Amino acid sequence: IRRPEGQKRVIGTLLGVTSDDGSTIEVVNCFAVPHSEKQEEVAVGQTFNRTMYNLHSAVNKKEQIVGWYATSMDGSLIVDSSSLIHDFYAQECEDPIHLVVDTALTDSTVGIKAYVSTPLVIA
């Protein structure tokens, strides 16, 4: 998949294996997912995502959806629309990982950061 001209970032699905005790997740594969982001609206290629996952799982049944990745957007690692995409992946797996790849090449390196969400209680 090639990102459309003018689209600022790429997103995709992370596949991996969770340890028996659930404390460790090993990301072993991924695939890009088409999407569009316009102001406060996000559309994720849900049918494409499901089809690609089914194809992957036919070859390797141990790989499960464990989260999603995105490239940085104008230097920002997390933007407003990230929460909407995260909500989609929360329906695909429990406690999805959000992996951000910073493609700005700061200091001639590709930076990678991983995030997980935690419940917020306001008392």
Side-chain angles (χ1 to χ4, degrees), residues 24-67:
T24 306
I25 296 174
E26 180 182 9
V27 177
V28 296
N29 212 337
C30 66
F31 56 86
V33 175
H35 79 292
S36 66
E37 296 179 72
K38 296 177 183 162
Q39 296 169 347
E40 296 177 16
E41 185 177 304
V42 177
V44 177
Q46 296 178 17
T47 303
F48 180 90
N49 184 61
R50 182 56 45 196
T51 299
M52 287 297 290
Y53 174 66
N54 289 339
L55 290 170
H56 276 272
S57 64
V59 175
N60 191 340
K61 295 185 186 325
K62 291 183 180 182
E63 292 180 9
Q64 300 294 316
I65 295 175
V66 295

Side-chain angles (χ1 to χ4, degrees), residues 102-114:
D102 185 3
T103 57
L105 297 175
T106 306
D107 299 325
S108 299
T109 62
V110 175
I112 298 175
K113 290 193 178 190

Side-chain angles (χ1 to χ4, degrees), residues 9-11 37 68-83 85 98-106 109-115:
R9 69 177 177 167
V10 174
I11 70 165
E37 296 179 72
W68 65 290
Y69 71 85
T71 56
S72 57
M73 191 170 192
D74 295 332
S76 298
L77 300 179
I78 296 182
V79 295
D80 291 343
S81 58
S82 295
S83 62
I85 299 168
H98 178 197
L99 191 74
V100 182
V101 181
D102 185 3
T103 57
L105 297 175
T106 306
T109 62
V110 175
I112 298 175
K113 290 193 178 190
Y115 300 91

